[in-house]
Amino acid sequence: MLPLQTTFRNLTSYYINAFSNINRNFHSNQPLWFQTTSALGALPLRKKKKVDPQLLKERAEKKIRRLQRDIRKLEKVARQCKPLSEMDIPRKAMRDSERIRPPPVLTKEELQERAELNYVWSQYKRRQHLAEMKAIQRVVAAQEKALDALEEVSQDLYNEAIQPDPLLIPFKMSGPVETPPINNFDYPDGEYIDVTKIYQPILPSDPAKQKKLGLHKKK
C-alpha cells in the first residue's frame, strides 16, 4: 500500500504543477509589449526681447496725441442738433405770404385800457397772495398752539404727533385722462410702419476741406 500511495501523491503533485504553469500562460488582459511613440519635434522657445521702458512710454504718448488730434478734427465740424419734427414750422407755411400778418396798430385809448387792466389784475393777484399767506400763518399758529398743549398733556403723544407721515411723501396722484377708460376693451394688435428717422452727420462736400479736416479716404 505504501508504494501505491507514494505514486498517487507524486502524480497529484505533478498534475497540480502542470496546471498551475498552464494558468500562468493564459490570461484575458493584453500583453505588456514595448511600444514607441512618434517623434514630436518642438520649436525652441523664443527669447523675450528686452524693450526699453522709455520706448513704451513714447509709444503710448504718441497714441494719445494721435487720438487727441482726431478728436480736434471732429470738433471742427459743426455739430448739427437733432431736429424736433413736432416743433419745426413747415416750410410751406413759412413761404405762404397769406399767413404773414402785420402787427395790429393800437390806438391811444386801447393802450390806456390795457394798462388799466394790467394794473387792476396785478392788484387783484397781490391781494390774493396776501390772503393765502395769512391763511397759512393762521394754520401754522393753530398747529403750534395745539402741539404745545399736547406736550403739556402727554410727552409720548407729542412725540408721535411730530413724526412725519410716510403716506404723504412721495405723493402720487392720477389725474383726468384725455378719454375715459372703456371696460373690457380688446386692444387691436395690428401692423405698424416704422418711421424712425436716421440722421447722418453733415460733412463738407469740398474735397479740400475734407482733406484739411482729415476726413478724406486714404488710398
Side-chain angles (χ1 to χ4, degrees):
M1 292 297 291
L2 291 176
L4 184 60
Q5 292 179 357
T6 304
T7 304
F8 181 74
R9 190 181 297 110
N10 293 334
L11 289 174
T12 304
S13 61
Y14 173 76
Y15 282 113
I16 290 173
N17 293 331
F19 278 110
S20 63
N21 293 330
I22 292 173
N23 291 333
R24 290 175 185 173
N25 295 329
F26 291 95
H27 49 80
S28 60
N29 296 331
Q30 295 181 356
L32 299 176
W33 294 341
F34 290 99
Q35 297 180 358
T36 58
T37 58
S38 58
L40 301 176
L43 293 175
L45 297 176
R46 293 183 179 180
K47 291 184 178 180
K48 293 184 178 180
K49 296 182 179 180
K50 293 183 179 180
V51 183
D52 188 7
Q54 185 66 23
L55 182 60
L56 294 176
K57 185 178 179 181
E58 291 178 357
R59 290 179 182 175
E61 292 178 353
K62 186 177 180 181
K63 186 176 181 180
I64 293 173
R65 288 196 299 270
R66 189 187 307 113
L67 292 174
Q68 291 176 351
R69 184 174 64 252
D70 295 340
I71 291 172
R72 286 195 298 270
K73 288 180 180 179
L74 293 175
E75 288 178 350
K76 290 181 181 178
V77 181
R79 294 185 179 181
Q80 299 293 332
C81 298
K82 184 177 179 180
L84 299 176
S85 57
E86 296 84 0
M87 303 295 293
D88 291 344
I89 301 175
R91 294 183 179 273
K92 183 179 180 181
M94 295 175 65
R95 292 193 299 266
D96 193 358
S97 59
E98 295 180 358
R99 297 184 60 87
I100 300 176
R101 302 174 185 176
V105 180
L106 301 177
T107 61
K108 187 176 181 180
E109 290 78 8
E110 291 176 347
L111 293 174
Q112 184 67 23
E113 183 181 2
R114 291 190 178 188
E116 292 177 357
L117 289 175
N118 191 13
Y119 176 76
V120 173
W121 176 253
S122 61
Q123 291 295 324
Y124 168 75
K125 296 301 291 183
R126 179 177 178 275
R127 289 193 297 270
Q128 183 183 13
H129 174 69
L130 293 177
E132 290 177 354
M133 294 300 296
K134 288 181 180 179
I136 293 173
Q137 290 176 0
R138 287 196 301 270
V139 172
V140 172
Q143 184 181 15
E144 292 179 353
K145 186 177 180 180
L147 289 175
D148 294 339
L150 183 62
E151 187 178 8
E152 294 177 358
V153 175
S154 174
Q155 186 67 29
D156 296 336
L157 293 177
Y158 173 78
N159 294 332
E160 290 292 333
I162 62 176
Q163 295 297 325
D165 190 358
L167 300 178
L168 295 178
I169 300 174
F171 177 73
K172 294 182 180 180
M173 183 181 65
S174 178
V177 295
E178 187 175 356
T179 57
I182 302 175
N183 296 328
N184 301 325
F185 179 72
D186 187 12
Y187 294 94
D189 187 13
E191 298 180 356
Y192 66 95
I193 301 174
D194 188 7
V195 294
T196 304
K197 296 182 180 180
I198 300 175
Y199 299 94
Q200 299 292 339
I202 300 175
L203 301 177
S205 58
D206 189 3
K209 292 183 179 180
Q210 292 183 2
K211 186 175 181 181
K212 186 177 180 180
L213 295 174
L215 302 175
H216 65 288
K217 295 182 180 179
K218 297 181 180 180
K219 296 182 180 180

